[in-house]
Amino acid sequence: MTDLFEATSPHDPRVARGADGLLAAFNAAGVVDAADVRVAERVAALGGEDDDRVRLAVALAVRSVRGGSVGLDLEALPDLSQVVEEVGQRPSRDALAWPDPAEWAAALAASPLVAAGVVHHELGLVYLDRYHRLERQVADDLRARTALGPPQVDEAVLAATLERVSGEHLSAEQSAAVVHAARHRTTVLTGGPGTGKTTTVARVVLALADQFAPLHERRMSIALAAPTGKAATRLQEAVAEELAALGALGDGPGQVATPDSMTLHRLLGWRPDNTTRFAHDRSNRLKHDLIVVDEASMVDLTMMARLLEAVRPESRLVLVGDPRQLTSVGAGAVLSDLVAGFAGHPDSPVVALTENHRSTEQIKALALALRDDGPDAADGVLAALRGGTGEVEYVETDDPVTALRARITTAALEVRTAAVDAGPAAAIAALERFRLLCAHREGPYGVQVWNRHAEQWLAAELGAPLGSAWYPGRPLLVTSNDYALDVYNGETGVVVPDASGRPRAWIAGAGAPRPFAPARLGAIETMHAMTIHKSQGSQADEVVVLLPDADSRLLTRELFYTAVTRAKERVVVVGSEAAVRAAVDTTAQRATGLRQRLS
Ligand SMILES: Nc1ncnc2c1ncn2[C@@H]1O[C@H](COP(=O)(O)OP(=O)(O)OP(=O)(O)O)[C@@H](O)[C@H]1O
């Protein structure tokens, strides 16, 4: 809630002209913008509400949703008013007349908007009806699945499956997760990168298929889904590979066909005419007997509600993700709420993997330090950074341009050389070796500036301008789904010239990379640098994390953790000690009521 704006003029589109009372004052101070004010005015007018404090609460609730919360936390308002006073230099901000919290709550209790169910005041949050309904629905649907009781388990078959899938690639906790999934209708499988979530999912798929077939006298129908196409494809490839290694991929008895994989949007039946409703819902449920959703930390409240209403009560649902990662772009913090909300429940669906099987020791130590919730966590993280010898490197500088030029130029040159001399597969492989991650899109620490730096340095190295925007070796990031082309948000690629020298954008999505004429691709960006938000769900051998200034409002523990855990072999953190401390000491707080509803 700290991203206040400074209106540049009375014509600034964020200023709501014609507003009055508290709404006008809070808008002028940059606490709520014109869109928040308009919604509050309209809702109040329709509901016959003229109490200024309630109108303000509605505007702040709209603003809270924009910030990722599902409602307005009245309890946290003293913090908000303090922040406003600290940040605000103008008298209007200092003089904001924050309603007294007790009087405010009383005004809400007496409001016709609350009586009409347009606004709700519950669990300390002021909700707009839509988010209140979504949150209750998610909690109700999850509880209804539990209330059905545990599924029937053939213990002899389960023991035989465990025997079949055990070996060096099934630790005790992974085995326990497979058993958990067999015994629960809903499973929430959590773990950091490299903890073997995907490895375990393949075994869960097999265990559930083994249970299903004799009982239903048909094969289990399985869907693998994820918020992004890239993550869905990665999951499918990894699961198919694991099943094949176990001799369990195929059409024979005791085997599973390669499961379908798709984005959550596609699974639910995306409709071009409606962005929040899908073809599959409570009246037209999904046919699948097992639905696995990877990267569940990226699933927001709306999508989780749509998913849960579309899953048949008797179908199995497995949600997989890392609750320590950045939360979804849209409102809610569903995965971490599920973990916290079900903590201590005897029939909790949550099962955790903790042992990292992939990263190097130093990266593991750094990630572990970033999971420490104690008061000295920042010291621990700095010690892990400074004690690194190769796998973890800390470049403590306030001049990242000088510090990073050689590294970034080398990485860009490798992709370029591969694109020109060795073709698309080599160019894409080169791209996977190095990733520069930034917190911001704009500004001196932003992706746009660093993309420009990289292009200038590459041109200087080549001794010639890069020429066209579609220069060979330009790394690409797809930024929206194109269902017609089968190209999805988050997929990456490289420009490689064809035999006659024309540029082709090779996109690495499902299966082998595919070439496209540049003009066919709509939403595409250069990817010498990438935002940490966009990097979720992907990894690279070497990752450079460029930390912004310590006072950046994006700098949080979740952001830093997400960035560091993208690295497979080596991570370089660039930034000041103050920035590291600010990141570790700031946890992203979203006001949600789901964990309370579940506990
Ligand atoms: N029990 C195990 N023993 C040894 N290696 C393992 C074990 N489980 C998984 N691995 C290996 O560890 C690596 C990471 O496993 P996996 O990809 O399943 O993890 P993940 O949690 O899905 O990771 P991410 O979310 O980062 O993709 C893989 O190379 C896998 O083969």
Side-chain angles (χ1 to χ4, degrees):
M1 290 291 272
T2 58
D3 52 336
L4 310 171
F5 69 86
E6 293 273 358
T8 48
S9 80
H11 304 293
D12 188 312
R14 293 166 298 185
V15 174
R17 269 173 288 165
D20 59 6
L22 285 174
L23 284 180
F26 277 70
N27 177 227
V31 180
V32 290
D33 76 9
D36 308 329
V37 171
R38 294 295 170 234
V39 174
E41 285 176 335
R42 215 172 314 130
V43 167
L46 288 171
E49 173 60 83
D50 53 15
D51 189 313
D52 225 12
R53 293 163 302 182
V54 177
R55 296 198 314 159
L56 177 63
V58 174
L60 287 168
V62 178
R63 179 200 196 284
S64 301
V65 170
R66 273 200 289 116
S69 293
V70 301
L72 168 67
D73 184 353
L74 284 182
E75 297 288 311
L77 282 174
D79 295 344
L80 177 58
S81 39
Q82 197 185 343
V83 167
V84 172
E85 277 166 28
E86 280 169 9
V87 175
Q89 280 104 37
R90 292 175 304 160
S92 61
R93 233 172 236 174
D94 293 341
L96 280 176
W98 288 90
D100 170 77
E103 289 174 16
W104 209 352
L108 279 160
S111 169
L113 296 180
V114 171
V118 178
V119 172
H120 303 262
H121 186 202
E122 199 184 311
L123 304 174
L125 299 183
V126 179
Y127 289 93
L128 303 173
D129 183 49
R130 173 181 147 78
Y131 290 92
H132 186 253
R133 266 188 290 127
L134 289 170
E135 198 173 83
R136 286 185 45 179
Q137 184 222 308
V138 167
D140 290 348
D141 281 345
L142 282 168
R143 269 200 304 264
R145 292 179 59 79
T146 312
L148 284 172
Q152 195 179 333
V153 177
D154 185 326
E155 296 295 341
V157 171
L158 180 58
T161 312
L162 283 176
E163 181 72 34
R164 199 171 154 206
V165 303
S166 55
E168 61 184 40
H169 262 51
L170 198 72
S171 63
E173 63 177 12
Q174 289 170 327
S175 175
V178 174
V179 172
H180 174 104
R183 298 198 200 289
H184 291 76
R185 287 177 201 282
T186 312
T187 293
V188 180
L189 177 64
T190 66
T195 50
K197 296 185 296 300
T198 316
T199 309
T200 306
V201 163
R203 284 143 179 86
V204 165
V205 165
L206 193 60
L208 295 181
D210 281 352
Q211 291 287 321
F212 187 92
L215 201 63
H216 299 270
E217 294 178 349
R218 65 175 174 85
R219 301 183 88 179
M220 191 174 212
S221 128
I222 303 164
L224 304 179
T228 67
K230 183 166 178 148
T233 307
R234 221 173 49 114
L235 177 66
Q236 183 193 40
E237 286 170 355
V239 167
E241 201 175 299
E242 290 289 337
L243 289 173
L246 292 166
L249 191 68
D251 295 330
Q255 289 192 316
V256 180
T258 302
D260 288 342
S261 88
M262 62 213 96
T263 61
L264 270 176
H265 277 84
R266 183 162 262 190
L267 172 75
L268 293 173
W270 172 79
R271 298 192 329 205
D273 60 322
N274 193 323
T275 51
T276 55
R277 281 286 171 187
F278 295 95
H280 291 286
D281 56 16
R282 215 173 286 281
S283 60
N284 178 26
R285 306 256 195 177
L286 291 161
K287 67 173 172 46
H288 305 94
D289 307 302
L290 166 62
I291 295 162
V292 179
V293 179
D294 200 5
E295 300 294 347
S297 59
M298 295 166 75
V299 179
D300 65 17
L301 181 67
T302 305
M303 189 52 119
M304 188 58 78
R306 300 298 175 239
L307 172 68
L308 286 170
E309 71 183 6
V311 178
R312 282 185 289 123
E314 66 277 19
S315 297
R316 300 299 188 89
L317 177 64
V318 178
L319 304 172
V320 186
D322 181 357
R324 298 236 169 215
Q325 277 200 40
L326 283 166
T327 36
S328 51
V329 175
V334 179
L335 185 64
S336 52
D337 278 354
L338 294 191
V339 172
F342 280 117
H345 270 232
D347 49 6
S348 168
V350 180
V351 59
L353 299 178
T354 56
E355 216 180 317
N356 186 330
H357 300 282
R358 186 195 294 123
S359 301
T360 64
E361 290 307 316
Q362 291 179 8
I363 296 175
K364 277 191 222 176
L366 178 57
L368 192 67
L370 279 165
R371 287 202 290 269
D372 175 3
D373 292 324
D376 302 326
D379 292 334
V381 170
L382 282 161
L385 285 171
R386 290 184 175 134
T389 53
E391 295 158 10
V392 170
E393 186 185 343
Y394 182 31
V395 182
E396 201 170 344
T397 178
D398 46 16
D399 180 13
V401 172
T402 306
L404 287 177
R405 177 170 181 155
R407 240 177 265 258
I408 289 171
T409 310
T410 304
L413 197 60
E414 275 180 24
V415 178
R416 162 79 174 206
T417 308
V420 173
D421 297 339
I428 284 167
L431 192 65
E432 297 306 313
R433 285 200 286 275
F434 178 86
R435 192 77 79 246
L436 169 63
L437 298 180
C438 303
H440 293 259
R441 287 185 60 75
E442 290 161 16
Y445 298 98
V447 159
Q448 291 172 355
V449 165
W450 284 84
N451 270 328
R452 274 204 300 279
H453 283 320
E455 289 181 339
Q456 281 161 2
W457 294 334
L458 179 61
E461 191 69 21
L462 294 170
L466 296 174
S468 132
W470 295 94
Y471 58 87
R474 178 184 165 197
L476 302 170
L477 175 67
V478 177
T479 56
S480 76
N481 295 331
D482 186 328
Y483 293 93
L485 291 185
D486 212 16
V487 164
Y488 299 100
N489 192 6
E491 291 179 351
T492 53
V494 184
V495 176
V496 180
D498 68 12
S500 50
R502 282 173 311 186
R504 286 288 173 267
W506 284 80
I507 304 295
R514 290 175 301 148
F516 295 92
R520 295 181 67 203
L521 294 169
I524 205 126
E525 291 176 4
T526 305
M527 201 192 66
H528 291 291
M530 187 184 206
T531 63
I532 297 169
H533 277 88
K534 292 257 185 219
S535 76
Q536 285 183 84
S538 68
Q539 288 203 308
D541 296 344
E542 176 174 349
V543 168
V544 171
V545 182
L546 177 60
L547 292 177
D549 273 340
D551 61 3
S552 158
R553 69 183 176 82
L554 289 184
L555 201 52
T556 62
R557 173 90 70 105
E558 291 78 4
L559 188 90
F560 195 14
Y561 173 83
T562 302
V564 162
T565 53
R566 298 310 93 206
K568 283 199 239 179
E569 293 171 8
R570 191 170 138 72
V571 61
V572 182
V573 174
V574 183
S576 65
E577 174 176 333
V580 171
R581 287 191 180 280
V584 176
D585 291 340
T586 312
T587 46
Q589 293 292 345
R590 287 189 164 188
T592 69
L594 183 59
R595 65 181 64 185
Q596 280 167 277
R597 290 181 199 282
L598 294 171
S599 54

